[in-house]
Amino acid sequence: MSNSITTFGANFYGGTRRHSYRVNCTLPSGKPILEFNAYAFALPASIINEIGVPYRGRNLYIPGDRDYQPFTLSILDDTGSDSGSIYSNLMEWQRSLNDHTQNDSETGANGDRQVWTLEHLDYYTETPIKKITLKGVWPVSVGPVVLSAASKNEFMTFDTTVRYDYFEIDRSVSGSATNGGNPVFQQNG
């Protein structure tokens, strides 16, 4: 294989884009966190801990138990529906898990856990190339919300961190959904 820009271009299919995603996150109130409200996030890491077994001055590492890390989502807050702002709905969800004054739970140990879906999309076809479903989602932290009289031409965003029991990766979604040749590089001739 020659090492040329032509060879590279013929074999490069455009890569994946960080801004092409879709979320399906519904709060217990029924209010969704819409695609444009999910301002930024990182797909959750998959971590298998290691167990070191000492043997003659060295360690043999074997796979241990899986840990699921918290998932943080930056949200562009919006008040455009009858059910109020996303921030208020998340705070209400948290309150139902542990009340501010009574220190009790309306929902019990299961706490209105939700199912959230995160999809990374092919830039050209908008079909999923990665799909992760978080099972048993509940909010660990909401906010803070930073307000400032000096802020102009900005919308309010805040971070929310959730825990979940586990995630599933949709194995039917794999690779690029782009078919029929390279849409990025078209060689004339």
Side-chain angles (χ1 to χ4, degrees):
M1 180 183 285
S2 69
N3 191 13
S4 71
I5 191 70
T6 304
T7 303
F8 172 75
N11 290 286
F12 181 67
Y13 288 85
T16 59
R17 308 292 176 98
R18 293 173 54 165
H19 64 275
S20 296
Y21 59 86
R22 181 170 39 230
V23 297
N24 183 359
C25 306
T26 304
L27 307 178
S29 64
K31 183 173 182 69
I33 298 174
L34 302 172
E35 289 176 41
F36 56 85
N37 293 111
Y39 198 68
F41 60 90
L43 294 175
S46 178
I47 298 173
I48 296 178
N49 292 302
E50 57 188 35
I51 302 170
V53 180
Y55 177 75
R56 296 185 179 183
R58 295 185 179 159
N59 280 329
L60 169 67
Y61 291 98
I62 61 172
D65 296 320
R66 184 178 297 276
D67 273 338
Y68 294 99
Q69 301 300 305
F71 172 64
T72 299
L73 176 68
S74 294
I75 297 173
L76 177 64
D77 199 24
D78 198 2
T79 59
S81 73
D82 294 335
S83 57
S85 77
I86 296 169
Y87 177 82
S88 298
N89 277 263
L90 283 164
M91 289 299 285
E92 177 57 26
W93 187 7
Q94 237 188 5
R95 189 208 56 76
S96 74
L97 299 173
N98 185 276
D99 189 76
H100 295 281
T101 57
Q102 300 299 318
N103 195 27
D104 63 1
S105 175
E106 293 176 3
T107 58
N110 287 330
D112 274 337
R113 293 172 185 239
Q114 301 294 303
V115 175
W116 286 9
T117 305
L118 316 169
E119 295 176 320
H120 188 188
L121 304 177
D122 180 274
Y123 178 69
Y124 300 99
T125 65
E126 294 192 7
T127 57
I129 54 176
K130 296 177 194 75
K131 182 177 179 181
I132 296 178
T133 302
L134 306 178
K135 304 281 188 148
V137 175
W138 58 276
V140 173
S141 70
V142 178
V145 171
V146 178
L147 302 174
S148 170
S151 294
K152 298 184 346 179
N153 302 316
E154 293 180 31
F155 290 109
M156 185 179 83
T157 62
F158 63 93
D159 288 348
T160 293
T161 301
V162 299
R163 277 287 191 180
Y164 51 94
D165 297 329
Y166 63 98
F167 65 73
E168 293 177 344
I169 299 172
D170 186 342
R171 304 230 184 275
S172 67
V173 176
S174 63
S176 175
T178 305
N179 295 316
N182 185 337
V184 176
F185 183 82
Q186 299 295 328
Q187 186 172 357
N188 295 326

